[in-house]
């Protein structure tokens, strides 16, 4: 089956087409036919695609909304220009898998999108006002382009964390507020964690119950997850993806009393302070320069920029703090797993984060760490009691596989 995987943003649309079915899933033989992105939807948009042979194509087009963008992309892919023999018409896309950020308490696994499911996703909008409306737009656009007969599946970032125990997911606020408004920790990056935990056990030849790791997804958004016995036991992001680690533009943990303090001092509404914590904080806020870790590292090595140094130091300190906390609540783990753009590519950040974990039995192998850029690798020494791994994430692959499993009614790991 050719599965279109969609990740809809506010003015962007990321997509991949992956050929997969149960036989390919079992044999790990899924085939990525193409990946691409539309940016600046709503005006003169740019559309880029990259085929599996590495060939890149870019065009610009005036695309007023997400349905127009999706329609354009599909027709372009199906045209002969791209030379993609598997897709010669819209009908060659057999199903669509969507990344949906928030599934609330309702969705503990991926789901075929029916009208009822769509209503539930809409109900989750108040929990993720920045993210879920975009997913809904993507789903409606796909219905318009492919028609009601093409199955669509929603894969939720929150679903993997449905196993969180109460002591991890409840905040210490009046219990009644949880009952009335479902205010609790949901956790995010769940598809990424499911993928890396799965790869980890394949690499080590372990079963799911033998999977005890602290995983760090360090990208533009950053989070940590304590995965105990193969299930999410605790995680750093909360009711929204703002809590926890320092991120590109998000503050992560702050004293909640700071919100009204900033509001009073700066004459801002609470909504505006929340926007400040989401969009102007984190690496960008501390450095005053950029949210891009690569640029910050360049500033540090080339210009010894003190604010870049500070941003990186606070970023790593917070990550270390979460690893330590998660090791404590899990009663120890077998490995630390790094993923996401920073986790997969920056050996310097990994080394800084792992510094001082000798007490937990971790000793990094400097050469292995330096050589591990963008591919799976063990980066700890052979005699390290606590191992460390780099495992590049592949959320799109898992979304494509879940789409197939949902359509065929096959059980799938949650
Ligand atoms: P993601 O959201 O997973 O695409 O990750 C984006 C983040 O990864 C950005 O902060 C990038 O600067 C960072 N990143 C990507 N490659 C590198 C690299 N080689 N060194 C440091 N950071 C990187």
């Amino acid at each position: 089956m050719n599965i279109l995987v969609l990740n809809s943003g506010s003015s962007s649309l990321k997509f991949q087409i992956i050929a997969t079915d149960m036989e390919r899933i079992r044999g790990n033989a899924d085939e990525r036919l193409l990946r691409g992105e539309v940016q600046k939807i709503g005006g003169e948009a740019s559309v880029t695609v990259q085929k599996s042979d590495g060939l890149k194509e870019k065009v610009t087009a005036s695309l007023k909304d997400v349905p127009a963008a999706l329609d354009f992309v599909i027709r372009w892919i199906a045209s002969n220009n791209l030379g993609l023999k598997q897709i010669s018409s819209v009908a060659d896309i057999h199903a669509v898998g969507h990344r949906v950020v928030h599934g609330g308490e309702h969705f503990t696994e991926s789901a075929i999108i029916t009208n009822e499911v769509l209503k539930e996703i809409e109900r989750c909008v108040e929990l993720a006002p920045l993210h879920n409306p975009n997913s809904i737009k993507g789903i409606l656009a796909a219905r318009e382009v492919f028609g009601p007969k093409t199955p669509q599946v929603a894969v939720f970032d929150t679903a993997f964390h449905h196993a969180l125990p109460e002591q991890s997911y409840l905040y210490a606020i009046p219990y009644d507020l949880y009952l009335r408004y479902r205010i609790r920790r949901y956790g995010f990056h769940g598809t990424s964690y499911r993928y890396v935990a799965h790869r980890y056990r394949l690499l080590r030849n372990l079963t799911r119950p033998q999977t005890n790791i602290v995983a760090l997804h360090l990208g533009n958004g950053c989070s940590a997850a304590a995965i105990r016995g193969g299930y999410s036991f605790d995680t750093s992001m909360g009711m929204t993806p703002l809590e926890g680690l320092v991120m590109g533009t998000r503050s992560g943990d702050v004293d909640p009393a700071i919100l009204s303090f900033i509001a009073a001092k700066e004459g801002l509404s609470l909504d505006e302070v929340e926007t400040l914590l989401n969009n102007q904080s984190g690496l960008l806020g501390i450095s005053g320069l950029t949210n891009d870790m690569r640029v910050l590292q360049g500033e540090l090595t080339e210009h010894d920029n003190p604010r870049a140094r500070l941003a990186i130091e606070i970023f790593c300190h917070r990550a270390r703090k979460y690893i330590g906390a998660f090791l404590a609540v899990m009663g120890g783990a077998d490995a630390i797993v790094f993923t996401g753009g920073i986790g997969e590519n920056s050996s310097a950040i990994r080394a800084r984060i792992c510094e001082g974990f000798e007490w937990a039995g971790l000793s990094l192998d400097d050469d292995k760490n330096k050589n591990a850029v963008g591919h799976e690798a063990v980066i700890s020494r052979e005699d390290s009691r606590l191992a460390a791994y780099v495992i590049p994430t592949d959320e799109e692959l898992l979304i494509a596989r879940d789409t197939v499993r949902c359509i065929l009614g096959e059980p799938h790991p949650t």
Side-chain angles (χ1 to χ4, degrees):
M1 294 168 101
N2 299 324
I3 311 294
L4 173 70
V5 177
L6 288 184
N7 185 353
S8 313
S10 54
S11 64
S12 69
L13 186 68
K14 288 190 187 148
F15 53 90
Q16 294 199 9
I17 299 178
I18 298 174
T20 184
D21 50 41
M22 287 315 294
E23 207 179 312
R24 287 189 196 232
I25 293 173
R26 287 189 200 106
N28 201 22
D30 327 67
E31 192 185 350
R32 199 170 320 252
L33 304 179
L34 164 149
R35 67 176 84 212
E37 189 169 2
V38 189
Q39 281 174 332
K40 298 195 191 133
I41 296 172
E44 196 59 14
S46 72
V47 189
T48 45
V49 296
Q50 185 173 12
K51 290 203 309 177
S52 53
D53 58 11
L55 187 80
K56 267 192 186 168
E57 301 264 359
K58 185 170 178 177
V59 289
T60 53
S62 175
L63 300 171
K64 68 176 188 328
D65 53 19
V66 178
L70 186 58
D71 189 62
F72 179 88
V73 163
I74 296 307
R75 282 176 209 293
W76 189 33
I77 293 169
S79 72
N80 283 332
N81 301 356
L82 281 178
L84 196 66
K85 63 180 188 316
Q86 294 92 335
I87 314 286
S88 57
S89 81
V90 175
D92 289 329
I93 301 288
H94 301 121
V96 185
H98 295 266
R99 176 181 181 215
V100 181
V101 169
H102 217 307
E105 283 191 323
H106 186 83
F107 293 107
T108 57
E109 57 181 44
S110 304
I112 294 200
I113 302 173
T114 57
N115 286 338
E116 286 69 42
V117 165
L118 193 56
K119 262 191 213 127
E120 276 303 330
I121 298 173
E122 275 162 6
R123 254 180 232 138
C124 296
V125 163
E126 68 170 357
L127 296 171
L130 298 179
H131 297 97
N132 271 29
N134 298 326
S135 309
I136 293 167
K137 268 194 225 159
I139 292 166
L140 295 176
R143 271 195 184 170
E144 209 173 308
V145 172
F146 297 102
K149 293 226 173 80
T150 303
Q152 297 198 53
V153 169
V155 179
F156 301 92
D157 262 16
T158 45
F160 178 68
H161 300 296
H162 79 275
L164 289 175
E166 276 176 328
Q167 68 269 29
S168 300
Y169 76 69
L170 284 176
Y171 291 111
I173 58 174
Y175 189 72
D176 198 39
L177 290 174
Y178 163 64
L179 293 180
R180 274 195 279 158
Y181 308 117
R182 299 288 141 189
I183 298 172
R184 51 162 285 180
R185 177 182 312 288
Y186 290 94
F188 298 87
H189 289 142
T191 315
S192 175
Y193 288 128
R194 243 176 83 200
Y195 180 80
V196 297
H198 176 73
R199 285 302 309 164
Y200 167 80
R201 57 178 169 272
L202 288 183
L203 289 172
R204 290 197 105 167
N205 204 13
L206 300 171
T207 61
R208 183 167 188 167
Q210 291 170 323
T211 307
N212 294 303
I213 59 176
V214 176
L216 295 169
H217 181 114
L218 307 178
N220 245 323
C222 300
S223 72
I227 300 174
R228 195 175 77 164
Y231 288 90
S232 180
F233 182 70
D234 206 344
T235 191
S236 62
M237 282 179 168
M239 181 169 106
T240 76
L242 179 55
E243 193 181 348
L245 301 184
V246 175
M247 311 178 213
T249 61
R250 283 172 253 170
S251 61
D253 296 338
V254 292
D255 178 346
I258 289 176
L259 272 82
S260 52
F261 191 85
I262 297 175
K265 291 286 181 195
E266 293 279 304
L268 299 174
S269 68
L270 279 180
D271 272 357
E272 286 167 331
V273 177
E274 199 182 310
T275 304
L276 180 145
L277 296 179
N278 266 308
N279 298 341
Q280 295 160 45
S281 302
L283 295 175
L284 171 67
I286 302 164
S287 69
L289 288 171
T290 174
N291 62 337
D292 191 320
M293 182 58 96
R294 232 175 329 195
V295 177
L296 282 179
Q297 288 184 295
E299 280 293 321
L300 182 59
T301 45
E302 282 158 38
H303 308 294
D304 201 23
N305 184 311
R307 294 267 293 277
R309 178 189 304 282
L310 191 61
I312 292 172
E313 190 47 43
I314 295 172
F315 179 92
C316 295
H317 176 87
R318 183 84 54 87
R320 273 203 298 275
K321 199 156 133 178
Y322 266 93
I323 294 174
F326 283 177
L327 287 174
V329 295
M330 295 167 78
D334 300 320
I336 311 285
V337 177
F338 288 95
T339 194
I342 300 170
E344 292 164 22
N345 296 301
S346 178
S347 58
I349 297 294
R350 292 192 302 253
R352 188 78 192 95
I353 290 175
C354 290
E355 233 170 66
F357 269 108
E358 289 76 19
W359 62 270
L362 172 63
S363 56
L364 216 57
D365 183 314
D366 292 339
D367 289 333
K368 284 184 187 164
N369 182 38
K370 281 205 183 91
N371 291 331
V373 180
H375 59 84
E376 284 181 355
V378 186
I379 56 169
S380 50
R381 288 173 26 165
E382 261 166 42
D383 59 355
S384 186
R385 196 158 40 81
L386 176 62
Y389 281 75
V390 172
I391 302 183
T393 194
D394 196 342
E395 292 159 277
E396 290 79 10
L397 180 63
L398 212 53
I399 293 172
R401 288 179 171 185
D402 270 16
T403 302
V404 167
R405 289 178 182 123
C406 277
I407 293 168
L408 300 178
E410 292 275 344
H412 51 89
T414 52

